[in-house]
Amino acid sequence: MEINDFKVTPEKMKGKTVSDVAVTSNAVVIKFTDSTYLDIYLDNSAQTLKTSTNKLEG
């Protein structure tokens, strides 16, 4: 499975409406009403938090 990292731009997130949130011990995933997701997750190898966004098509 290929992992894609995307830069999160605050301007692109502004004004979106949250429809769901999932929280685990290693990640927070926020789903917006336009099917865009914001992922905040722990990168164990670097011991830092990382973010990515994606949008489900279809």
Side-chain angles (χ1 to χ4, degrees), residues 1-2 4 9 15 18 20 22-23 27 29 31 33 36 45 51-52:
M1 181 170 79
E2 182 180 337
N4 296 315
T9 307
V18 174
D20 199 9
V23 179
V29 179
K31 179 183 178 186
T33 54
T36 301
S45 62
T51 60
S52 67

Side-chain angles (χ1 to χ4, degrees), residues 4-55:
N4 296 315
D5 289 324
F6 300 93
K7 185 175 182 180
V8 176
T9 307
E11 294 80 24
K12 291 183 179 180
M13 306 309 292
K14 193 174 189 176
K16 290 184 181 275
T17 302
V18 174
S19 68
D20 199 9
V21 175
V23 179
T24 70
S25 59
N26 292 324
V28 174
V29 179
I30 302 169
K31 179 183 178 186
F32 298 97
T33 54
D34 67 353
S35 296
T36 301
Y37 291 83
L38 171 62
D39 304 312
I40 305 166
Y41 59 95
L42 177 63
D43 179 353
N44 286 323
S45 62
Q47 289 298 302
T48 61
L49 289 176
K50 291 194 174 184
T51 60
S52 67
T53 59
N54 58 59
K55 185 168 185 168

